[in-house]
Amino acid sequence: MWRAEIANIEAFILNEYIPAKPLDSNLEVDFTLRKQAKSEKCGQRRCGDILKFPFAQTTRTLTAASIKQSKVLVEADKATETKRVVEITLESDDFDYEPGDTIGVLPSNAPEVVEQLLERLGLIDQADTICQIKLALKCAKKNAKLLAHIPDSTCPREIFTNCLALNGVLQKQFLSALAGYTSVAKERSFLACLSSKQATEHYNSLILERGLRFTDILELCASCQPPLAFLVEHLPRLLPRPYSIANSPLETGTQELRIIYSVQSPKAGVATSMLEAKCQQQEQSAKVFIYPRLTNTFRYTEEDLCKNQILIAVGTGLAPFLGFLAHKEHHQKQQKQPVKGETFLYVGAKTPQAVLKRNKLLAWQQASVLQRLRMCHSRVESPTYVQQLLQEDAEELVKLLLKPDTVLYVCADGAKISTSIASGLGLCLQKALHLDETEATQQLKELRQQGKYREDLWL
C-alpha cells in the first residue's frame, strides 16, 4: 500500500527545486446561512434544467431511472485478469431509442467519501447550508465558464457529491497551489517540490504510477486546508459516463433499457462504484439519473435490416451489438422468415467464460440471425486476438465488406485496440485485393468517409 511506502514524505523533498507557478483563485463562496429544507430538491436532480451535459439531446432533460434488475454476466478471475461484468435493467418513462444509441449516466461520489472530505476541510457544520459560488470582485470580468458546472444555488455536500471529480490526476500547478494552503513546513515543502520540474521522477512515481489523488494528498498532508472556492474552480468537473444501450426496444418496450459495465476491483471508477452500491439498494427502489446522448450513424434501425453488417467487438464492446442482434431477431420473428441482410460477428475476450451472453450468441447463430460467429480468447488459445480472426477470413470478409449495402461496425474499449483492429483490416485488404500498405490505408480511409466503417470507442 502507498501509505506504508511514502509515509515519510521528507524522503521526496529535494535539496533544490523550483515550484511550479501556483494556480490563482478567482472564486468566492457566499453562504446564506440557512439549512436546505427537506422540501427542496437536490441541485443535481434539477441541474438538467440548469447545466449542460456533454453530447446531450437539446430536447430532452434528465430522467430518473429505477434499477429494476442487476445480473452478473462475467465473474472476476485474477488468474486471467478478467473483470467482473454486470448488466443492469433500467426502468423509466417512455425513453425513445434505437439499438446502438448511448445514454449519459450521472455519477456521484460515495457518501462516505464526501462525509470524510467535509469533515477534513472543516465544512461539516456548513455541509447542507445553501450557498452561491461567485466570481471574486477582482475577477468580475473573467469568463463565467468557471461556474458552468455548478448550480446557481447549492451546498458543499452537493458540490462534492455531484459536481467535482475527486479522483482526477493532480496537475503540478494544483499541487503548488495546495502548498500555499499548507501550514506545516515539511508538508508544504513536499507539495511544492512535487510540483517542480526537478522532482518529475517523484511526480511520475507518486501521481501517475501509484495514483495518489486529492483525498490521498489531504491524508498525507494533515495541515493542508484548501478553501472550497479554490476546489470548485480547479478540481475537474464530475462528468457523465457514456454507456451503450445493450438491448432492442422491441424486447422490452421503450420503458426499459439495459446497460453493461465492468468493475476493476479494487480500483473501481466513480460511476461503476455508484452503480454497484445502488444495485445493492434495489429493495429501496434505487434510481440513477440518465439522459439520451446525441445520435450518430452507429445505430441499427429498420433501414439497416436489409443491409449486411460486419460487427467487431472486444470485451464489453459487445454491448451495443446485443441490441443489434436482438432487434434483428425480433424482426425476423415478426416476418416469420430470415431477414435479408447477412451479419458476421467477431468477438474478442480473455476466456470463453468472459464472452458476454455466449449461449445467446450461439443461439442466434443457430437461428440464422448470425451468418458467421467467430470468437477468440486471448488468455487460453490461438488465435489470440480478434484481428487474427479477421485475417483468417480475409477473402470472404473483404468480399462482403465491398458490397454496396454492407456496413462494418467496431466497438472496443480503448484507442489502442481500435488501432490494432484497423491494422488487421488493412492486412485483410492487402491480402484479398493485392494492395500495398499505403493503398490499403487509403481504402480504409475511403470506407470511413463513405460511412461503411463506423466506430464506437471510449478510453
Side-chain angles (χ1 to χ4, degrees):
M1 295 291 289
W2 64 262
R3 289 171 177 79
E5 296 171 355
I6 63 172
N8 179 22
I9 59 175
E10 292 176 280
F12 297 91
I13 303 174
L14 303 180
N15 292 327
E16 295 183 1
Y17 60 87
I18 301 174
K21 181 181 178 180
L23 295 169
D24 294 330
S25 181
N26 301 303
L27 301 179
E28 57 187 28
V29 182
D30 179 21
F31 282 99
T32 64
L33 302 180
R34 68 181 179 88
K35 296 287 185 177
Q36 180 169 292
K38 291 183 179 180
S39 60
E40 290 184 283
K41 293 182 178 180
C42 170
Q44 183 68 16
R45 295 184 183 179
R46 54 182 168 76
C47 63
D49 299 321
I50 299 174
L51 304 182
K52 294 181 179 179
F53 297 112
F55 305 104
Q57 294 182 19
T58 56
T59 58
R60 299 291 297 275
T61 56
L62 285 178
T63 297
S66 300
I67 297 178
K68 182 179 179 181
Q69 183 182 30
S70 67
K71 179 181 180 182
V72 177
L73 300 183
V74 178
E75 295 287 357
D77 181 13
K78 289 184 179 180
T80 58
E81 299 179 325
T82 298
K83 298 178 185 177
R84 182 168 169 265
V85 179
V86 179
E87 176 187 70
I88 64 175
T89 300
L90 301 175
E91 191 174 41
S92 69
D93 294 333
D94 195 23
F95 199 96
D96 188 32
Y97 65 91
E98 298 280 0
D101 285 349
T102 61
I103 62 169
V105 174
L106 271 61
S108 58
N109 292 305
E112 60 273 18
V113 172
V114 172
E115 192 73 14
Q116 290 172 6
L117 185 57
L118 290 166
E119 184 74 44
R120 170 66 178 76
L121 295 175
L123 292 169
I124 197 68
D125 290 337
Q126 295 175 303
D128 301 298
T129 300
I130 297 293
C131 66
Q132 287 185 316
I133 309 296
K134 301 179 179 179
L135 283 168
L137 289 177
K138 65 178 181 178
C139 309
K141 294 183 180 180
K142 292 212 172 191
N143 198 324
K145 286 184 178 179
L146 288 173
L147 299 172
H149 60 303
I150 305 294
D152 291 336
S153 180
T154 183
C155 63
R157 188 185 305 279
E158 180 189 330
I159 289 172
F160 287 129
T161 300
N162 299 317
C163 302
L164 301 181
L166 306 179
N167 294 328
V169 176
L170 301 177
Q171 302 302 311
K172 289 187 174 184
Q173 285 184 290
F174 182 82
L175 292 169
S176 183
L178 287 182
Y181 298 116
T182 304
S183 58
V184 174
K186 70 174 182 179
E187 295 174 357
R188 184 168 59 250
S189 297
F190 168 70
L191 292 171
C193 181
L194 199 58
S195 77
S196 70
K197 183 178 180 180
Q198 293 77 13
T200 295
E201 184 177 345
H202 291 329
Y203 176 85
N204 292 343
S205 173
L206 298 180
I207 305 299
L208 301 184
E209 295 173 16
R210 302 190 198 187
L212 261 68
R213 299 296 181 249
F214 173 60
T215 51
D216 301 323
I217 291 294
L218 292 182
E219 185 175 339
L220 281 170
C221 303
S223 69
C224 182
Q225 201 76 10
L228 176 61
F230 171 80
L231 298 177
V232 168
E233 183 174 355
H234 295 299
L235 282 177
R237 177 181 177 181
L238 185 58
L239 291 170
R241 303 305 197 260
Y243 290 91
S244 297
I245 297 175
N247 65 291
S248 163
L250 298 181
E251 291 180 89
T252 58
T254 55
Q255 290 77 24
E256 287 186 12
L257 57 88
R258 301 187 196 120
I259 61 172
I260 291 172
Y261 64 89
S262 60
V263 183
Q264 185 173 353
S265 182
K267 295 183 178 181
V270 175
T272 52
S273 295
M274 179 196 74
L275 291 173
E276 287 282 274
K278 287 183 178 293
C279 285
Q280 302 302 317
Q281 303 170 11
Q282 284 189 47
E283 294 180 358
Q284 304 173 25
S285 299
K287 296 181 182 293
V288 295
F289 292 93
I290 64 175
Y291 65 89
R293 285 164 52 93
L294 291 173
T295 59
N296 53 38
T297 59
F298 200 94
R299 310 177 88 199
Y300 184 72
T301 65
E302 288 193 32
E303 296 178 359
D304 300 306
L305 289 172
C306 294
K307 297 179 182 178
N308 305 312
Q309 299 86 37
I310 299 171
L311 313 177
I312 304 172
V314 176
T316 53
L318 183 57
F321 299 146
L322 296 175
F324 282 35
L325 296 169
H327 208 63
K328 184 177 179 180
E329 178 189 34
H330 277 266
H331 274 286
Q332 193 162 287
K333 287 180 179 178
Q334 289 173 359
Q335 296 177 13
K336 298 182 180 180
Q337 61 181 359
V339 172
K340 181 181 177 182
E342 286 191 89
T343 304
F344 286 13
L345 174 62
Y346 295 86
V347 181
K350 291 182 177 177
T351 66
Q353 295 74 28
V355 176
L356 306 185
K357 302 195 176 182
R358 178 187 176 92
N359 291 338
K360 186 65 175 177
L361 298 180
L362 294 171
W364 276 329
Q365 184 184 34
Q366 187 69 27
S368 297
V369 175
L370 279 170
Q371 281 62 53
R372 177 163 301 183
L373 173 61
R374 298 292 311 276
M375 294 182 279
C376 62
H377 315 108
S378 60
R379 294 295 188 268
V380 296
E381 62 186 34
S382 183
T384 303
Y385 300 110
V386 72
Q387 54 266 33
Q388 294 171 301
L389 294 180
L390 302 177
Q391 292 169 50
E392 288 183 358
D393 290 356
E395 298 287 346
E396 293 173 278
L397 183 69
V398 171
K399 182 179 178 181
L400 181 62
L401 176 60
L402 295 184
K403 289 184 177 181
D405 56 354
T406 297
V407 178
L408 182 146
Y409 298 84
V410 176
C411 189
D413 183 3
K416 184 177 179 181
I417 295 175
S418 66
T419 300
S420 297
I421 290 172
S423 298
L425 289 168
L427 292 173
C428 291
L429 291 171
Q430 290 180 54
K431 179 179 178 181
L433 302 179
H434 308 291
L435 304 178
D436 60 30
E437 184 177 354
T438 301
E439 291 171 327
T441 300
Q442 179 60 31
Q443 179 102 33
L444 285 177
K445 181 179 179 180
E446 291 174 0
L447 289 170
R448 283 190 170 99
Q449 292 172 343
Q450 296 164 9
K452 287 175 61 64
Y453 184 168
R454 306 174 186 178
E455 295 175 293
D456 184 13
L457 310 172
W458 58 92
L459 302 179

